[in-house]
Amino acid sequence: MINKTKQTGTAKLEVKGTTVELPILSGTHGPDVVDVKRVYADAGVFTLDPGFTSTGSCESQITFINGEEGILLHRGYPIDQLADQSGFLEVAYLLLNGELPTQPEFSEFAGRVTQHTMLHTQMDSFFDGFRRDSHPMAMLTGTVGAMSAFYPGAMDSSDPEERNLAYIRLIAKMPTLAARIYKYTQGQPFVDPLNELGYAENFLRMCFSVPAEPYKVSPTLARAMDKIFILHADHEQNASTSTVRLAGSSGAHPYAAVAAGVACLWGPSHGGANEACLNMLREIGSVDRIPEFIERAKDKNDPFRLMGFGHRVYKNYDPRATVMQKTAHEVLDELGIDTPVLRVAKELERIALEDEYFKSKKLYPNVDFYSGVILDAMGFPTEMFTVLFALARTVGWVSQLNEMIEDPTQRIGRPRQIYTGAAKRDFVPISQR
Ligand code: CMC
């Protein structure tokens, strides 16, 4: 149950002669927080923090990040242990329920997810409305939102059974939806899920098999896909997760709240960075051009940034990037590929990590730096990369949404502002302006 913070001190804020005492709260790990809930009521001022660099939005027990030391824990378990020893569906159970499942619990959960992989047949008609060259994220934003029309019962967020069913359905149907989006862009027939296969294996088959030929999923690629899903499953209160929480805080339909998260993830500063990163590696093209791009990234007058580098929270190596780099080598070895893109990525990483600009600003490779290299080698077009991120992050979104709904202190998210527009004035009729 949420509500486990302890008051460990008091901060004093002096506002125009009035002193307000604010509780200092401690959690399990991480910096203490100053609880500013009563600042407006007691001192008549708001706090201002655009971009939320110093502001916590909620209490959470799902994911912990220590950006200085490069630590990422899900329900207390380090991400590298989960990526190496667990599977995506087990991590999904962990994120949703708080503990690792026993074997019977896992079988029941995996069985339920498997039973919900099919889409309502009417969902397929939506695709005909899209241009074939539509961006896959545009189609995903629309179709995830459209799914809310098929499951009106999920609107009742007070019923834990309805909520759980909505989360299971979303986790189960995202791969089917994502694969259909890919197939639609390729002009190939949709491939239905085959429930005897594992989650990642099933997804790869729905993407890459065609009716004209037999298709066997490579276990190395299925394992790599599963790892990529684990590495993207959750990342505490990032932009898209905060969007899902904010949309859900009004009591919106959970599928619609997740669609809002998909929309937020699309941007190149967030989930769209993996697509942007691979495009950048391709644009660089060869190792000898790297210095030119490093100089551009450092130039204040050039908007170019090294995609896949830097993070709002990590001021150290992103622990997901470490696993991702290892997985990239496994996949490329299995496929016997030594791409120019990989050569550029490795050399770019080496040069940037030695460069004073990147060192002084603590800019390290993030999860997106190598994920694009792997997905490209697997055969996914760059426009699909963020869709795969969204598929995996759905688990985090629904876990965070559920935690918020179960939080007894939950209220609609409603930030305030400092108004600097025109002062109050009287309306002038158009004839007199
Ligand atoms: N290349 C060159 N300079 C950079 C970069 C970069 N990739 N990232 C940050 N900087 C510089 C930036 O110019 C600024 O310099 P100064 O202080 O001199 O003005 C300083 O570092 C701090 O940057 P910021 O933009 O204030 O930091 P932020 O926390 O607001 O932004 C970020 C974080 C991830 C948006 C940013 O690092 C970035 O744009 N990176 C490239 C995009 C990317 O890879 N995004 C994926 C993030 S991980 C996956 C996810 O969360 O979805």
Side-chain angles (χ1 to χ4, degrees):
M1 222 6 180
I2 212 89
N3 237 327
K4 284 203 170 161
T5 53
K6 287 194 193 75
Q7 182 169 351
T8 50
T10 307
K12 285 196 173 77
L13 178 71
E14 205 181 301
V15 186
K16 295 176 189 160
T18 308
T19 303
V20 188
E21 295 213 335
L22 303 167
I24 297 178
L25 306 177
S26 301
T28 317
H29 295 305
D32 291 343
V33 303
V34 179
D35 180 348
V36 296
K37 262 199 304 291
R38 291 203 50 85
V39 166
Y40 180 55
D42 293 349
V45 292
F46 295 142
T47 56
L48 179 68
D49 182 14
F52 306 112
T53 49
S54 297
T55 298
S57 60
C58 60
E59 178 187 337
S60 181
Q61 298 170 355
I62 300 175
T63 292
F64 171 74
I65 303 172
N66 179 331
E68 305 304 322
E69 292 176 30
I71 293 170
L72 169 59
L73 310 176
H74 289 321
R75 302 283 191 187
Y77 297 103
I79 188 65
D80 54 323
Q81 290 182 22
L82 292 173
D84 286 340
Q85 298 173 49
S86 184
F88 179 67
L89 274 190
E90 192 178 37
V91 171
Y93 182 100
L94 174 70
L95 290 171
L96 265 172
N97 298 292
E99 295 296 334
L100 286 168
T102 61
Q103 188 58 58
E105 284 167 342
F106 180 70
S107 303
E108 206 261 336
F109 178 74
R112 283 194 81 193
V113 171
T114 305
Q115 291 307 311
H116 286 285
T117 48
M118 281 168 59
L119 299 181
H120 192 291
T121 49
Q122 283 305 113
M123 279 298 298
D124 284 351
S125 13
F126 283 99
F127 288 98
D128 290 334
F130 290 112
R131 286 165 49 138
R132 291 271 175 190
D133 62 354
S134 304
H135 195 286
M137 281 300 279
M139 289 195 265
L140 191 69
T141 312
T143 49
V144 172
M147 272 206 293
S148 57
F150 294 81
Y151 307 105
M155 195 69 193
D156 182 7
S157 65
S158 65
D159 180 349
E161 258 311 301
E162 277 293 351
R163 283 207 309 272
N164 202 35
L165 181 58
Y167 307 149
I168 296 270
R169 279 194 170 126
L170 274 159
I171 295 167
K173 291 179 198 307
M174 276 304 238
T176 316
L177 201 54
R180 271 166 155 68
I181 287 171
Y182 171 63
K183 285 299 198 192
Y184 187 74
T185 61
Q186 302 300 300
Q188 291 180 3
F190 294 150
V191 176
D192 286 322
L194 192 57
N195 287 347
E196 67 190 39
L197 301 180
Y199 192 86
E201 210 180 355
N202 195 19
F203 175 62
L204 289 173
R205 183 183 159 276
M206 286 191 286
C207 288
F208 296 122
S209 73
V210 288
E213 281 177 20
Y215 180 77
K216 177 106 183 66
V217 184
S218 141
T220 309
L221 296 194
R223 182 70 194 120
M225 189 78 263
D226 202 64
K227 262 191 200 181
I228 291 176
F229 289 160
I230 293 174
L231 294 175
H232 287 92
D234 192 52
H235 213 225
E236 54 118 302
Q237 309 312 319
N238 57 85
S240 59
T241 301
S242 298
T243 302
V244 171
R245 278 187 179 252
L246 195 57
S249 78
S250 72
H253 195 289
Y255 294 68
V258 168
V262 173
C264 179
L265 188 75
W266 190 354
S269 295
H270 192 8
N274 51 15
E275 177 180 345
C277 180
L278 197 82
N279 288 337
M280 175 195 77
L281 294 174
R282 285 206 182 112
E283 192 191 343
I284 298 175
S286 60
V287 168
D288 56 300
R289 294 192 63 206
I290 292 173
E292 175 196 328
F293 283 83
I294 294 267
E295 285 318 305
R296 282 188 60 195
K298 290 167 21 179
D299 181 356
K300 283 266 155 270
N301 300 317
D302 189 330
F304 174 78
R305 279 188 171 199
L306 222 47
M307 300 313 288
F309 259 77
H311 198 275
R312 169 61 64 79
V313 181
Y314 292 119
K315 302 301 167 201
N316 200 325
Y317 217 98
D318 178 342
R320 302 168 300 170
T322 316
V323 183
M324 205 60 96
Q325 188 195 42
K326 205 170 113 216
T327 310
H329 288 294
E330 283 162 14
V331 169
L332 296 166
D333 286 350
E334 152 92 8
L335 297 174
I337 291 177
D338 180 18
T339 60
V341 158
L342 180 69
R343 281 196 295 274
V344 171
K346 277 171 28 188
E347 188 59 8
L348 182 62
E349 179 184 2
R350 191 189 66 74
I351 295 176
L353 288 177
E354 284 174 3
D355 190 287
E356 208 29 61
Y357 173 92
F358 291 89
K359 274 174 29 189
S360 65
K361 293 191 187 303
K362 299 190 175 163
L363 298 169
Y364 291 86
N366 60 47
V367 67
D368 291 320
F369 192 67
Y370 278 104
S371 64
V373 176
I374 308 176
L375 297 173
D376 178 53
M378 282 178 165
F380 287 105
T382 43
E383 299 76 38
M384 275 298 291
F385 292 179
T386 317
V387 171
L388 305 191
F389 192 157
L391 184 171
R393 185 54 60 85
T394 297
V395 164
W397 289 332
V398 297
S399 304
Q400 300 268 353
L401 182 62
N402 191 52
E403 182 176 68
M404 182 194 73
I405 292 170
E406 287 185 345
D407 182 347
T409 64
Q410 188 259 324
R411 303 169 75 184
I412 186 168
R414 183 24 173 121
R416 302 306 301 260
Q417 62 172 11
I418 176 162
Y419 175 72
T420 55
K424 182 175 178 295
R425 49 188 167 165
D426 289 325
F427 180 79
V428 180
I430 196 163
S431 57
Q432 292 167 34
R433 274 177 239 154

